Amino acid sequence: SPAGDLYIGDGGNNRVQELAAATRAQWGQLMTVGDIYTVTGGAAATLHADGGPASATIIAGAPSLAIDATGDLYIADEQNNRIQEIANVPGTQWGQSMTAGDEYTVAGSAAGTSGNSGDGGPATTSLMSSTQSISLDPENDLYITDNANDTVREVASATANAITPAPGQASALVI
């Protein structure tokens, strides 16, 4: 992370953990340097809805994480077929108003519905199946491996919240 924290996608326990690099408040929790904290998911999680505290949000698998330059944390919520973001700072991203420390679906179905649709439309109305890997490029475009559909999807940051075909492709890139 930009602050030097270490993030762990603990998919077997359906949570994301952070090893704090400094003593400070992060994600709505007071953290002490060198201690480990559950950021989202785990046994205490109870919420399926968007816009709630990350510490109370349920995830199902976390095989891949990405962090952008502002410290926003992205999670491949694999078994819920979606990409989640925990906003580090308040503001509007991906066409959504976000509160720092809260978790939001930025691609795929908030309800976890699987499928194979959505190219050219809003990322939050797309359907994916087994979102195993995510990455960000220098422009903060989000790349998603939609594993069960053998597809790589791109959510362009310049196009607020739309899934677009990979560069040079007429539709989603089949791998």
Side-chain angles (χ1 to χ4, degrees), residues 65-142:
L65 307 172
I67 301 169
D68 69 16
T70 64
D72 299 317
L73 176 62
Y74 295 86
I75 304 156
D77 189 359
E78 178 184 20
Q79 296 165 23
N80 285 323
N81 309 301
R82 63 187 181 179
I83 304 302
Q84 297 289 93
E85 176 186 346
I86 304 174
N88 188 41
V89 293
T92 300
Q93 271 197 125
W94 311 109
Q96 300 180 58
S97 177
M98 296 186 179
T99 301
D102 285 358
E103 191 163 336
Y104 301 86
T105 300
V106 295
S109 165
T113 305
S114 71
N116 185 10
S117 66
D119 285 351
T124 53
T125 62
S126 68
L127 296 180
M128 299 180 283
S129 185
S130 187
T131 51
Q132 284 195 340
S133 181
I134 53 175
S135 62
L136 294 162
D137 69 14
E139 288 78 35
N140 278 335
D141 296 333
L142 181 63

Side-chain angles (χ1 to χ4, degrees), residues 19-31:
L19 178 60
T23 298
R24 68 181 186 296
Q26 175 85 350
W27 315 122
Q29 302 178 53
L30 180 57
M31 297 186 177

Side-chain angles (χ1 to χ4, degrees), residues 150-174:
D150 297 323
T151 304
V152 174
R153 299 186 187 268
E154 176 186 10
V155 183
S157 62
T159 308
N161 197 25
I163 288 214
T164 59
Q169 301 296 315
S171 65
L173 178 63
V174 176

